[in-house]
Amino acid sequence: MLTDIEVANLVTKTIQGVIGTSPTILHEPKFVGNEWNYLKECLDTGFVSSVGKFVDRFEYELASYTKSKYAIAVVNGTAALHIALSLSGVKPGDEVLIPSLSFVATANAVTYCGAIPHFVESETVHLGIDAHKIREYLKSIAEIKSGQLVNRLSGRVIRAVVPMHTFGHPVQLEELLKLAHDFNLVLVEDAAESLGSFYHGKHTGTFGLFGTLSFNGNKTITTGGGGAILTQDEALAKHAKHITTTAKIPHSWDYVHDEIGYNYRMPNINAALGCAQLESLPSFLESKRILFHKYKDAFQSIDSVSIMEEPKNCKSNYWLQTLRLGDELKTARDSLLKNTNDNGVMTRPCWRLLHTLEPFKNSPKMEMNVAESLEQTLINIPSSSFLSSLIV
């Protein structure tokens, strides 16, 4: 049986055997296309803010790629989720079911609506929320009254469920859609990490009433900062675009705003970067898939260490390559993280479970034995698309 330090050394050397020994960070952007040309056009024309052709083009090309009827570009993924939840009918005092195993933005967006995050369990194959356990849980704590799901323990309406596609791996969408239907829940997908991921041949973010994307600097493609709202509903798309543009009614000179709006529109200069990045997306995805297979081969010889693979009938973008430690190696996690980072290989643990964070300690939650185990056994390793070019 190897010691924790020996496991850490072995993992570090295995990663370096795949990508080399030069210092690496977790996920870097790659600019190999028309980024300079499109950014220069913005500067030359002066269209750098929220007005300009690249915003419309980026929205059109996003919708075309994802096969969503509509895409609305905004300043970041959190803003996208905030607006999606708000337009889904989430009201102050409502509860929203979200995974505790997620980035904090998922919970923050719920609170922006004045609602309460209700944390639920995850499962090990997709790393997303466990539809089967949630079904049994809701049967035990909630009931439908006047067409609304009401939490018997709190008296509050449970309005929506927000599956998040962890590290780009699609969740159990078929089961979750059935769950949402049976319990009168609105389904809003947090697809911030899954541009380029497909469930049964259909792009993530296009199953629920809304889906949301992120284009932060560490995502598969980046606009610097940015996000998008996806929907199939024309009226909701128009409303989303309206309120993310300060709810200003078009007029040649007057300032008329007909409801509370948000200054959430993506600037043209960011959209220009996004248009160039979308052109390179297929090659990015292929490179990340090559990297996955190289990692998979390299780690096959190490007991109790495996790399997360796309679930059956799914196609993952492999945004962040993720190691899963066997339960017997839980104690080795921190040694592994320290050893890799000390040797120039940036690794990161999974997020701390959201229900353990100070702002959410009093939020409702179900038992989360699986999520707690995943928190202690998932480690992200270098995943940049250009790393596959270092593989011989």
Side-chain angles (χ1 to χ4, degrees):
M1 182 71 178
L2 296 176
T3 66
D4 290 354
I5 296 299
E6 288 171 334
V7 171
N9 284 329
L10 184 56
V11 169
T12 299
K13 290 178 181 178
T14 301
I15 295 172
Q16 290 177 327
V18 173
I19 63 174
T21 57
S22 298
T24 56
I25 68 172
L26 200 63
H27 197 286
E28 296 181 62
K30 184 178 181 181
F31 304 118
V32 292
N34 283 310
E35 287 87 355
W36 280 109
N37 294 331
Y38 295 167
L39 292 175
K40 186 176 185 302
E41 182 176 337
C42 291
L43 297 175
D44 288 345
T45 61
F47 286 102
V48 297
S49 192
S50 57
V51 176
K53 73 174 188 179
F54 285 111
V55 176
D56 291 338
R57 175 178 164 182
F58 187 54
E59 291 177 335
Y60 174 80
E61 291 178 354
L62 267 180
S64 297
Y65 178 80
T66 61
K67 300 296 190 293
S68 178
K69 288 186 179 179
Y70 305 98
I72 300 92
V74 293
V75 291
N76 54 56
T78 311
L81 189 54
H82 172 206
I83 295 302
L85 289 170
S86 179
L87 293 183
S88 296
V90 174
K91 300 177 177 62
D94 286 348
E95 294 180 9
V96 177
L97 303 173
I98 67 171
S100 190
L101 184 73
S102 184
F103 183 58
V104 71
T106 311
N108 285 342
V110 172
T111 66
Y112 296 167
C113 297
I116 295 96
H118 188 144
F119 298 106
V120 295
E121 177 69 296
S122 298
E123 46 80 33
T124 59
V125 176
H126 299 250
L127 302 182
I129 56 180
D130 191 320
H132 301 294
K133 286 186 179 178
I134 293 173
R135 178 177 291 273
E136 297 307 309
Y137 173 67
L138 291 178
K139 287 180 181 178
S140 69
I141 63 102
E143 59 186 332
I144 295 177
K145 293 182 178 180
S146 303
Q148 299 184 125
L149 185 65
V150 177
N151 184 339
R152 289 195 298 267
L153 305 178
S154 66
R156 294 186 291 251
V157 172
I158 303 176
R159 186 74 62 185
V161 58
V162 183
M164 195 277 288
H165 304 288
T166 312
F167 308 137
H169 299 295
V171 302
Q172 302 170 317
L173 280 163
E174 186 175 2
E175 291 85 351
L176 284 166
L177 286 168
K178 292 177 183 176
L179 178 87
H181 175 269
D182 293 345
F183 288 92
N184 287 2
L185 296 168
V186 180
L187 189 143
V188 176
E189 290 177 74
D190 183 347
E193 302 174 357
S194 63
L195 179 67
S197 296
F198 296 81
Y199 178 84
H200 291 213
K202 186 176 179 181
H203 198 283
T204 55
T206 63
F207 289 81
L209 183 63
F210 288 101
T212 61
L213 301 171
S214 171
F215 311 111
N216 190 31
N218 67 344
K219 294 300 191 293
T220 306
I221 70 166
T222 184
T223 58
I229 303 165
L230 305 178
T231 186
Q232 315 312 312
D233 188 294
E234 181 179 9
L236 288 174
K238 288 180 178 178
H239 199 180
K241 180 170 277 195
H242 181 59
I243 64 172
T244 55
T245 319
T246 69
K248 184 178 183 296
I249 296 175
H251 193 280
S252 59
W253 49 265
D254 203 359
Y255 294 92
V256 180
H257 305 262
D258 61 351
E259 60 180 307
I260 299 296
Y262 303 87
N263 191 11
Y264 280 177
R265 289 289 286 152
M266 178 183 284
N268 193 54
I269 196 167
N270 295 85
L273 187 61
C275 289
Q277 288 272 285
L278 270 177
E279 292 169 355
S280 298
L281 178 59
S283 66
F284 292 169
L285 295 172
E286 179 59 28
S287 295
K288 293 170 79 63
R289 186 164 290 270
I290 292 170
L291 181 62
F292 160 75
H293 284 292
K294 188 66 176 180
Y295 275 140
K296 181 181 178 182
D297 291 342
F299 279 100
Q300 282 181 344
S301 61
I302 304 179
D303 291 339
S304 298
V305 179
S306 59
I307 191 160
M308 292 299 306
E309 188 166 3
E310 63 193 4
K312 185 179 179 181
N313 296 320
C314 296
K315 186 173 184 180
S316 174
N317 65 3
Y318 287 112
W319 170 52
L320 287 185
Q321 311 286 351
T322 306
L323 295 182
R324 175 83 191 276
L325 307 180
D327 287 343
E328 65 272 24
L329 292 183
K330 283 182 180 180
T331 60
R333 190 198 74 161
D334 289 354
S335 294
L336 196 159
L337 290 165
K338 184 177 189 307
N339 190 286
T340 49
N341 283 282
D342 286 351
N343 284 279
V345 178
M346 181 182 284
T347 59
R348 288 289 183 268
C350 191
W351 313 283
R352 293 194 177 189
L353 296 182
L354 296 181
H355 74 272
T356 68
L357 300 180
E358 191 63 37
F360 308 115
K361 285 184 176 179
N362 295 321
S363 297
K365 62 182 183 297
M366 63 185 289
E367 287 188 8
M368 281 175 278
N369 296 327
V370 173
E372 289 167 359
S373 176
L374 290 172
E375 180 189 32
Q376 294 301 313
T377 57
L378 296 179
I379 294 177
N380 298 131
I381 61 178
S383 307
S384 304
S385 59
F386 69 83
L387 290 175
S388 63
S389 65
L390 304 178
I391 298 171
V392 178

